[in-house]
Amino acid sequence: MEKYHLNYGWIYRSDFDDSYPQIAIEGELVDIPHCNSMVDYNNFDEKTYQYVSCYQRKINIPASFAQKRVFLRFEAVMCYAEVFVNGELAFFHSGGYTAFEGEITQYIKQGENTLTVKVDSREREDIPPFGNVIDYLTYGGIYREVSLLVREENFIKNVFISPLRVLSDKKAVGVKVVTEKALKEGETIVCNIEDEGQILESVEWRAKESTENEFEIAFAKAVLWEPSRPKLYRLTVEVCGEKVSETFGMRIAEFTKRGFYLNGKESKILGLNRHQSFPYVGYAMPKSAQEEDALKLKELGVNLVRTSHYVNSRHFLEACDKLGLMVFTEIPGWQFVSKREDWRANAIESVREMIEECYNHPSIVLWGVRINESPDDDELYRKTNALAHALDKTRQTGGVRCIPQSKLLEDVYTFNDFTNNGAKMKLMPKFIVTKLNAPLLITEHNGHMFPTKSFDNEKRRTEHALRHAEVINQANKRKNTCGAIGWCMSDYNTHKDFGSGDKICYHGVTDMFRMDKQAAFVYKSQQDDIPVLEVSSNMEIGDHDAAKLGDVYIYTNCDEVKMYKNDAFVASYYPRKQALKALKHPPIILNDMIGNQIEKNEKVSKRAAKRLKKFCLSIASRGAVPAAIRNLLPLVWIMGRYRLNFAAIQDMYGKYVTGWGGAQTNFRFEGIKNGKSVVSVNKGSVMKKQLQVRPLKNELVIKDTYDTVKVEIRALSDFGNVLPYCFDAITLEAENLEVLGETSCAFIGGQRAVWVKTLNAGKATLRIKTGFADKTIEFEVKDERKQINIL
Ligand code: GAL
C-alpha cells in the first residue's frame, strides 16, 4: 500500500449546494486539520459551527495507478460526510470521531480529478452524541487528516496484534491478518517482530483460504510495556504484494474486584478525563498539539487518561503508547439513548470502528461501550458488549454510568461518583454504587461540583485542589476500587446549558490553554520523575475573608520542606505526619510558620513563647477574635507578666506570620529529596511584574500537515509566582506564523498560551508585547513535504 497525504490546498466554502460536486467551487484556500468556524474564547453562539459546508480539491492521478485500487481515507469529519469524486457520490459516513475510507477506483481517471466533500456539522438526531443536550461542543469540519491509499487487487485491510500469555515464559503475539479477499490456500504471509529495525522473531505462515488468517508468534524474550517503561515493538506483515507495519506492546491489563493489575502487579489508577478541544480552533489540531497534551498528562503525574467521550486522534494515542500513559476510550454520547433505529445502529457501528481503529495501541486498557452516563438499555448494551467481545478477546469492557445499582452488562462497573460536596463523605461506599461483586473504577469526580477558575480567590483554588486530593486519597484507601479518574484535565467550551454562562466549563485542573491551576499540583506531586513543590498560598492575608490566611498546603513529592523567612530558617515540614495519608505524596499542611523565632527574638520565657506562637498560629487559621477567645487565659497572664498590651501581641502576628505595616516578609521553601535540595519556591509581595514566555519547542516541521507550537505566557511576581489577578493586555505579532486565535488578548489569571501555526519554511518569529515587557521568540520552520507523498 502506498499512502499519499491530501492535507494541503483544499478550497472551502461555508455552504453546500447540490451543484458543487459538479463544478469548480470558489472559496477560501485551507489546510487540514481544519475547523469550519473559529469560535471565540468564550461568550459566543454555539450554533456558529453547526452548518453544512463544502471542501474541494483537485488530485492528479498518475498512470502508475492504472492497475491499482485507490481509496480515500478520512481520519475524522464532524459529523456526517458525503464524498464525491468527479461529481459522483462515492461513499458517505456518519459519526465524527472515527476514521473511514471508501474505494474510488471506479470514479477516477488518469490526470486531474476533483474530490468534493459535503460536511454536515449540525447536531443530527441520527448520530450520537446528538439528540439531546451535551456538555461539550463538537465543532465542525474535516478536522483530522485525509489521505489517498493505493492498493493491490487484494490487500491487507487490518492487522490485529494481541499480546498473549505475557506473564508466562510462553509469551506470544497473536496475529490476525484480515485481507479484503480470501487469500489462496498455502499463500505465504511473512511476519516479523522488530525492535528498532532489528528482526527479533520471524514467521512464514501458510495461509488458509480465508479473509481472516490467525496465527501466533512465540516471543519469549518480550519486554513488557508499562507506564515506567513503555517498551514498543513493531510487527510487519507481508502478503499479496503488500507490507504493513504496526507498533504494539506486550502487556496485560486486568480490572478485578480487588483492584487493577497491570502485568500482574497491582497498580492504582490515577487518571484525568480529556476533551480533545482547544481554544478557538476546536478539534482541529495537528500531531504536535495532540502529543503536547499526552506529555502534559504525563507531567500531571497521571497513569491513565479517559478520552471522554469519544475516540481521540491517533497521534494522541500513539503518544500515550510511547509515553506510557494508559487509556480508557469510549464511544461517543452523553447521557441520552435515542429510540431511533439509525441512531442506535450508528452507536453500535461506533463500537466496531473504535476497536478496529485502535486495537493495537498497548496504552488502551479498557473499551467504553455504553453512552456516557446513560440509563440502562439492555437491548443496546447487550449488542455493544457482544460486539466488543467478539472483536477483542484481550480487553475488558466498561460502560460509564452515574446511576447507582444500574445493570452491569460490561466487565467493569465504571462509575462517575460526584459525592464530594465538601462534606465528610468523599466517595459512595461500594455497596451503594453496586451490590454486584464486580470490579469498580471511578471514572469521574469533582468537575461541576466545584467549578474553579484560575482567577478565583485563593481559598477556592485551594479547596478545589484539596477536593481532588481527598477523592484520590479515598480511592487509594479502598482495596475494592481500581482507582479514580478526575473531571477533568482542562477547562472546555460547552453549550449554554452548562458551564459558567460564558460557554466555558471551568472544571479542569488546568485552564483551556492547559495552564496549571492549583489543583494541577495535587496530581503533579504524585509522581517521582521530577521534583515538585508548590505552595497553595501567596501569603497575602487580604485575599482572605476577615484576613484569615487559613491553612496553607505544600504540594510536593519531596521528603522534607525547609522554610526560611527573610532568609532565617524557621522550620522543616514532613509529609508523613499529615492527613490524606493514602496519597503517595500527601500535601503538607504548613501549620507552623514561626518555628523558634519568638523564643529567639522576644524577651519572654520559653513557655510564654510557646503560648504566643500558638496564639499567632491560631489567628492565621481562625481570625483574631476567635483566636483571642480560645487563648484568653494564657494571653492575660503573658500580658500581665511582660507588660504587653493586646496590640503588641497582635503585632507579633504580623512579624512572625504575615500582616500589615511591617517590613516585607519573604518566604523561601526548599524541597529536599534524598538529602539534597532539589527545588525551591519563593513568596513575597510583587513589586514589578515579570514576563515569562516559553515555547514548547523552537523547531517546527511542515510535513504530513502544517505544524503548531504552544507558547506559554505568564505574568510572574519578582519571586517567580504566577500573578492570579493579572489581566493585562497582550499583543501578539507573528512573522511567518499564523496565530490561532486573537492577536490582541489578555492574561487570564496571570497566564495564557497561544498556539501558532506554520506558514513557510525558514525563520519565523512571535513577538509578545505587554505594558510591562516585550519579548520575541524565534523559530526555525523546516519544510519536509518533499520527503512524503503528496498528490
Ligand atoms: C458528568 C459528565 C461529564 C461532565 C461532568 C461535569 O456528569 O459525564 O461529561 O459534564 O459531569 O462535572
Side-chain angles (χ1 to χ4, degrees), residues 376 401-407 413 415 428 431-434:
D376 288 342
R401 73 241 10 253
C402 57
I403 305 164
Q405 309 299 343
S406 47
K407 183 94 167 260
Y413 205 98
F415 184 71
M428 281 179 209
F431 71 90
I432 294 190
V433 177
T434 175

Side-chain angles (χ1 to χ4, degrees), residues 343-393:
W343 190 101
R344 296 167 84 86
N346 280 328
I348 295 168
E349 189 54 21
S350 69
V351 173
R352 175 188 303 286
E353 291 184 346
M354 167 176 79
I355 297 179
E356 290 188 345
E357 183 177 335
C358 305
Y359 190 91
N360 294 335
H361 290 285
S363 55
I364 297 178
V365 292
L366 190 63
W367 301 120
V369 299
R370 185 182 175 114
I371 305 297
N372 171 62
E373 293 193 333
S374 57
D376 288 342
D377 189 323
D378 291 5
E379 197 263 339
L380 179 64
Y381 295 135
R382 278 218 169 86
K383 289 185 184 151
T384 58
N385 274 283
L387 180 58
H389 286 128
L391 292 170
D392 187 353
K393 308 237 168 350

Side-chain angles (χ1 to χ4, degrees), residues 134-136 273 275 306 308-309 330 333-335 372-373 400 402 416 418 443-450 487-488 492 494 498 505 507:
I134 31 171
D135 171 22
Y136 52 95
N273 283 275
H275 265 307
R306 173 172 169 231
S308 48
H309 303 294
E330 65 187 0
W334 204 82
Q335 291 193 347
N372 171 62
E373 293 193 333
V400 173
C402 57
N416 291 349
F418 290 105
T443 36
E444 289 182 36
H445 58 84
N446 284 299
H448 65 279
M449 298 301 289
F450 206 71
W487 189 266
C488 56
Y492 52 97
T494 189
F498 306 93
C505 264
H507 298 172

Side-chain angles (χ1 to χ4, degrees), residues 481-697:
T481 304
C482 295
I485 310 171
W487 189 266
C488 56
M489 172 191 177
S490 306
D491 296 345
Y492 52 97
N493 287 132
T494 189
H495 285 82
K496 65 171 174 29
D497 320 74
F498 306 93
S500 294
D502 62 346
K503 310 271 165 55
I504 296 181
C505 264
Y506 292 93
H507 298 172
V509 300
T510 71
D511 67 13
M512 278 202 340
F513 298 100
R514 283 66 168 156
M515 302 296 274
D516 295 336
K517 296 185 194 169
Q518 196 181 123
F521 291 92
V522 165
Y523 286 86
K524 282 185 168 183
S525 60
Q526 299 311 302
Q527 48 82 43
D528 284 302
D529 298 342
I530 38 167
V532 171
L533 173 59
E534 175 74 3
V535 180
S536 69
S537 177
N538 275 339
M539 307 297 203
E540 303 289 356
I541 55 175
D543 195 20
H544 294 263
D545 298 346
K548 284 183 284 181
L549 192 59
D551 285 333
V552 175
Y553 295 83
I554 306 175
Y555 310 107
T556 186
N557 52 10
C558 293
D559 313 325
E560 176 190 352
V561 175
K562 289 188 163 142
M563 186 178 91
Y564 298 82
K565 229 156 82 181
N566 292 337
D567 288 332
F569 174 71
V570 174
S572 267
Y573 309 100
Y574 302 92
R576 61 180 170 274
K577 293 182 191 142
Q578 312 298 323
L580 300 172
K581 288 198 190 79
L583 290 183
K584 187 164 178 209
H585 297 291
I588 296 173
I589 304 174
L590 207 167
N591 50 10
D592 176 4
M593 283 168 236
I594 300 175
N596 64 356
Q597 299 287 296
I598 299 184
E599 196 184 321
K600 229 168 95 186
N601 300 336
E602 305 293 330
K603 292 191 180 55
V604 294
S605 69
K606 229 178 165 169
R607 189 154 168 245
K610 214 169 145 194
R611 293 287 191 190
L612 285 166
K613 174 171 162 178
K614 194 169 164 212
F615 172 57
C616 288
L617 293 176
S618 164
I619 297 183
S621 59
R622 297 191 167 82
V625 176
I629 295 171
R630 259 183 115 88
N631 295 279
L632 196 60
L633 284 179
L635 275 181
V636 170
W637 181 81
I638 292 169
M639 285 160 79
R641 166 77 179 74
Y642 297 101
R643 296 182 189 286
L644 296 169
N645 58 19
F646 189 72
I649 294 185
Q650 209 185 356
D651 276 354
M652 285 186 196
Y653 173 71
K655 192 159 152 200
Y656 295 110
V657 183
T658 177
W660 296 298
Q664 157 136 347
T665 312
N666 297 336
F667 296 87
R668 182 154 61 89
F669 299 87
E670 213 176 281
I672 314 289
K673 212 165 181 173
N674 302 323
K676 278 198 205 110
S677 165
V678 286
V679 57
S680 69
V681 162
N682 293 283
K683 298 268 170 173
S685 285
V686 58
M687 299 295 160
K688 192 172 181 314
K689 287 172 281 192
Q690 314 288 322
L691 176 66
Q692 185 193 64
V693 179
R694 273 199 189 147
L696 296 198
K697 62 182 180 193

